[in-house]
Amino acid sequence: MTESTPSALTDAPLIDGFNLVVDALRRNKITEIYGVAGIPVTDLMRVAQEKGIRYFGFRHETSAGHAAAVSGYLKQWPGICMTVSAPGFLNGMVALANATTNGFPMILISGSSNRAIVDLQQGDYEELDQLQAAKPYAKAAYRIDRVEDIGIGVARAIRAALSGRPGGVYLDLPAALLPAQMPLAQGTASLIDVVDPAPARIPDGSAIDRALALLSSAKRPLVIIGKGASYARIESDLRTFLETTGIPFLPMSMAKGLLPDDHPQSAASARSKVLAEADVVLLAGARLNWLLGHGRAPQWAADGKLIQIDIEPTEIDSNRRIDAPVVGDLASSMRLLLKGLDTIPVKAPAAWCDAIETHKAANVAKMVKQLANRPVPMDFFAALGTVNTVLRDYPDIYLVAEGANTLDVGRNLITMSRPRRRLDVGTWGVMGIGMGFAVAAAVTQDAPVLAVVGDSAFGFSGMDIETICRYKLPVTVVVLNNGGIYRGDDVNRLDGQLPGVTTLSAMARYDRMIEAFGGTGYHVETVDALQRALREALSSGMPTLIDVSIDIHAGTESGHLKKLNPTSRATVPVASKA
Ligand code: ADP
Ligand code: MG
């Protein structure tokens, strides 16, 4: 490990690694850091705070990492998570891997132990070869060994996180780097202001023409909008394109609100029908992964044609033949498609639109009937329908959603009307994003946040309600408490006195947890009480948790993913909640 030593011959002022790292971040518009303090990064966080970066200290690195990731998604600029070495670093890795999978720009910065000892495996404090460990899960991973390389290291990390398909970048800072010094003038000169880290990628004109020709020939066209479109902020051009062509659209879950869910062209309540029948589908920033049945039968028409706009060239043909690839950034691509309509006009046939309309009306009528039920104890429909009713008065709220049934039912019931307001478990279906996402949404958007989470999901990040209370953030957490993972009525088949595999405490009072940290708690058992509590909570603008008692028999095993859990035998009825 080389440490720069101050020149004995001159009195030139010096700067250390702590200050250079912070200055490099500040020069590149980093205004928040999320993390958990400890060796060797505590002073790095203090210096950041002293120099005006807002620091948010969490109770678990995974939550801090999720906060950084969703900050990246909301700001189109990397969110920063900072952790201690080995175990703290590994806790942060879940969030980093999740960010990479979802295409959220973030940088995980971890302190690391003495390289010489780590490399010879001589047993240092928190010894781990973090750089190697991070590589498979990150879009890119770098280590800065020399103080004079801090500017370049930070610049590379920012560029890697933002360019092309965004993702998670790991930046390793060995403990010895931070106190190392170099002359101030050279140090300052070594820092880099990153220029144009996410350059436009203009698709080929022929790709645009090919896509429009295919669309104009379609009898049953469909546009699927994914969170890539949401990230790229193309709502304005996208709306004009859709309204000009009349093509029906389906939003993926985090693209809900890019156009309002109640837009007449939304085909969300005829989802199965349009997927199965569309003959030309345009994918705008959505991947043909498991969330879309890989684009294959039986969910999709086997002979349908596909157009895909994506910035990542290798995404094309990844699951199914793409007939008209548009490789480019979504903003440029959508602008060109819109312009291209002047020469290649596209109009969705009325017969197709009418058929969808009829189908939607039937489904909506079914849903209205289901929502009229007000069972006690509540089920997921009653509770989430109530949340939706209240949220109509809060169109700007940021909604964080996780759980199994809570997530699935909520995705259908909770209407979004503004872009990027829905933040959820994304591509992996990862549990534990709840409190981290809520903190970052509140902090970066300066807006109220509602986290609607299952009781099981809440367990993964629940301790970070202390963080929400400590920073007095305008976050309301609604825990749909049915006493279990999926459901609360599992049994131990050997000994009925012991908990079943998916059983949690149905009598748990999560509202009392937030009271312990100075927040406000509510426990509700009816639709009316939930509605009252939620209105009070949202108008208070203060940390609140509403524990919503849900029938332990409500919900399905694995939520909508029953097919991924084919051997499930959790069908045994047991006595109801006392
Ligand atoms: P969803 O889960 O909503 O379907 P995905 O995460 O599967 O969304 O897909 C998002 C896609 O958007 C990714 O393939 C990603 O490469 C792409 N993408 C992200 N940002 C841009 C952009 N600025 N321009 C074009 N494509 C983008
Ligand atoms: Mg549950």
Side-chain angles (χ1 to χ4, degrees), residues 217-241:
S217 73
K219 295 198 173 55
R220 296 178 303 281
L222 174 70
V223 171
I224 296 182
I225 310 168
K227 62 174 153 350
S230 183
Y231 176 77
R233 307 186 181 188
I234 59 165
E235 49 269 20
S236 168
D237 279 350
L238 178 68
R239 189 177 187 139
T240 312
F241 182 82

Side-chain angles (χ1 to χ4, degrees), residues 380 404-406 454-457 480-488 502 504:
F380 287 95
N405 293 282
T406 304
D455 55 337
S456 152
L480 296 197
N481 181 2
N482 68 345
I485 303 172
Y486 315 127
R487 293 163 62 106
T502 61
L504 300 171

Side-chain angles (χ1 to χ4, degrees), residues 421-481:
R421 296 302 197 279
R422 185 182 161 90
L423 309 169
D424 70 23
V425 303
T427 306
W428 259 358
V430 65
M431 294 298 124
I433 48 106
M435 301 309 108
F437 275 19
V439 168
V443 161
T444 62
Q445 306 304 301
D446 199 17
V449 178
L450 175 66
V452 181
V453 302
D455 55 337
S456 152
F458 181 65
F460 291 89
S461 73
M463 188 64 195
D464 272 300
I465 54 173
E466 190 275 329
T467 306
I468 289 168
C469 290
R470 188 164 15 104
Y471 290 98
K472 301 188 174 60
L473 297 174
V475 174
T476 298
V477 183
V478 168
V479 179
L480 296 197
N481 181 2

Side-chain angles (χ1 to χ4, degrees), residues 76 101-104 162 164-166 198 201 224-234 251-255 283-289 291-292 308-313 315 326-333 426-427:
Q76 277 186 319
T101 304
N102 281 279
F104 300 153
L162 285 173
R165 173 187 287 165
R201 284 214 194 150
I224 296 182
I225 310 168
K227 62 174 153 350
S230 183
Y231 176 77
R233 307 186 181 188
I234 59 165
M252 299 302 288
S253 76
M254 283 180 63
L283 296 158
R287 285 171 284 184
L288 285 178
N289 54 21
L291 289 158
L292 281 171
Q308 182 163 28
I309 312 175
D310 208 293
I311 201 161
E312 177 59 58
E315 189 56 38
V326 178
V327 175
D329 75 279
L330 276 150
S332 308
S333 306
T427 306

Side-chain angles (χ1 to χ4, degrees), residues 105-228:
M106 79 170 272
I107 303 173
L108 174 68
I109 301 180
S110 295
S112 62
S113 303
N114 186 306
R115 286 241 44 83
I117 299 177
V118 170
D119 287 348
L120 270 173
Q121 296 169 46
Q122 293 170 315
D124 202 0
Y125 167 74
E126 296 190 346
E127 175 181 298
L128 182 73
D129 190 346
Q130 294 171 194
L131 183 66
Q132 291 307 322
K135 274 183 184 163
Y137 308 105
K139 186 179 169 193
Y142 306 106
R143 176 163 53 230
I144 307 177
D145 281 309
R146 303 183 306 172
V147 70
E148 58 268 37
D149 290 336
I150 286 173
I152 285 175
V154 169
R156 296 206 75 184
I158 290 174
R159 204 170 275 284
L162 285 173
S163 58
R165 173 187 287 165
V169 175
Y170 176 60
L171 190 60
D172 193 89
L173 302 184
L177 175 79
L178 296 170
Q181 294 179 318
M182 69 184 289
L184 174 64
Q186 278 146 270
T188 306
S190 72
L191 300 182
I192 294 176
D193 298 312
V194 173
V195 177
D196 195 16
R201 284 214 194 150
I202 317 284
D204 206 78
S206 62
I208 298 291
D209 292 351
R210 186 165 46 221
L212 288 174
L214 193 52
L215 266 185
S216 71
S217 73
K219 295 198 173 55
R220 296 178 303 281
L222 174 70
V223 171
I224 296 182
I225 310 168
K227 62 174 153 350

